[in-house]
Amino acid sequence: MATARRERYRKQTREEAKAVALAQLSESGTAGISVNAIAKAMGMTGPALYRYFASRDELLTELITDTYRDLAETLARAVADAAPADRFRALARALRDWAKRQPDRYLLIYGTPVPGYHAPPETTEIAAGLMRTIFDACATVGEAGEAGGGGVDGGCQQPLTELEAELARHLEGTGPWGPGEEPGGEMKGRALRTWTRLHGVISLDVQGQFTGMGFDPSVLFEAEIDALVRGG
């Protein structure tokens, strides 16, 4: 019983430390995360908190891993709840909604890298799982077009441009980007272009780069989704 009590206290202390770290992240970015400052906010000494996190990097790894898992679960739910023809749009919207709700966590994993920090294998494995979700969602775009007999979704079946074909050849055999069967170069290219274009709009939006331009970024994002669905 004493061991179970200690484990509960250890878990509670670690969770509280991560909550304080997220508050620091919101206030001053990753550079502002300090184990000693977290300990002070919790009413502990720095050495005492180091018994729960051996270093700032260990704490960062916990935050990054939790963030990737939360995003992965969010996207997986969005795709699972959508009809096959709607999965790509559902995934894209869920990604933006998640980022807008939690901009600091979004920038933790997709913003400026933390100087001197090197992500351990467990974080890269979760990130690879996210890419697999993107692969699967991109695949349903083409399937929707074939099933629907053309139309907007059918546009993804148009022939590749010369540069798109060159990218597909370049990506062929580059190794697996996620769990499961490795997609071909064409699917990798489609997923890569999709991922970068979605994040381009989301990152600018989250960082307030559209402020003062007089338009609704959600309208731009929907237009980008539509262009990707049409294969543009």
Side-chain angles (χ1 to χ4, degrees):
M1 182 176 292
T3 300
R5 187 181 299 114
R6 283 196 299 271
E7 284 302 314
R8 285 199 303 272
Y9 180 74
R10 178 178 177 81
K11 182 178 180 180
Q12 290 169 357
T13 302
R14 286 173 63 89
E15 291 302 318
E16 183 180 354
K18 288 192 287 185
V20 174
L22 285 174
Q24 288 186 350
L25 180 68
S26 177
E27 293 171 3
S28 52
T30 53
I33 295 179
S34 161
V35 173
N36 286 329
I38 292 170
K40 183 177 180 181
M42 295 172 63
M44 301 173 65
T45 64
L49 187 55
Y50 275 112
R51 293 203 298 267
Y52 298 90
F53 291 99
S55 65
R56 185 205 66 159
D57 281 4
E58 183 180 328
L59 176 55
L60 274 173
T61 294
E62 286 276 340
L63 295 177
I64 291 169
T65 301
D66 288 350
T67 300
Y68 268 128
R69 285 186 177 135
D70 185 43
L71 177 56
E73 291 168 2
T74 298
L75 298 186
R77 284 194 302 271
V79 170
D81 293 342
D86 298 327
R87 284 175 185 163
F88 174 74
R89 293 181 188 273
L91 180 141
R93 290 165 180 158
L95 174 62
R96 180 177 185 268
D97 289 346
W98 182 91
K100 294 287 286 182
R101 287 195 313 272
Q102 307 181 83
D104 299 313
R105 295 183 82 192
Y106 174 83
L107 292 174
L108 176 64
I109 57 176
Y110 292 119
T112 303
V114 181
Y117 175 78
H118 300 285
E122 56 263 34
T123 61
T124 55
E125 288 171 5
I126 298 172
L130 283 173
M131 185 54 73
R132 168 53 62 180
T133 305
I134 293 293
F135 282 144
D136 293 343
C138 283
T140 64
V141 171
E143 292 169 3
E146 290 176 354
V152 172
D153 287 339
C156 270
Q157 299 303 306
Q158 59 186 309
L160 297 179
T161 67
E162 183 178 344
L163 289 175
E164 287 171 343
E166 182 180 344
L167 176 62
R169 289 191 296 271
H170 175 69
L171 295 174
E172 194 73 46
T174 53
W177 288 0
E181 183 179 353
E182 181 182 357
E186 182 176 344
M187 177 55 70
K188 283 184 176 179
R190 184 190 303 175
L192 186 59
R193 295 195 308 275
T194 297
W195 201 228
T196 54
R197 287 172 65 174
L198 293 181
H199 277 296
V201 177
I202 292 171
S203 294
L204 289 170
D205 190 8
V206 164
Q207 295 180 77
Q209 298 299 321
F210 297 135
T211 301
M213 296 181 70
F215 73 95
D216 183 352
S218 66
V219 177
L220 171 63
F221 191 71
E222 288 296 322
E224 191 69 351
I225 292 175
D226 193 60
L228 287 164
V229 167
R230 289 186 291 104

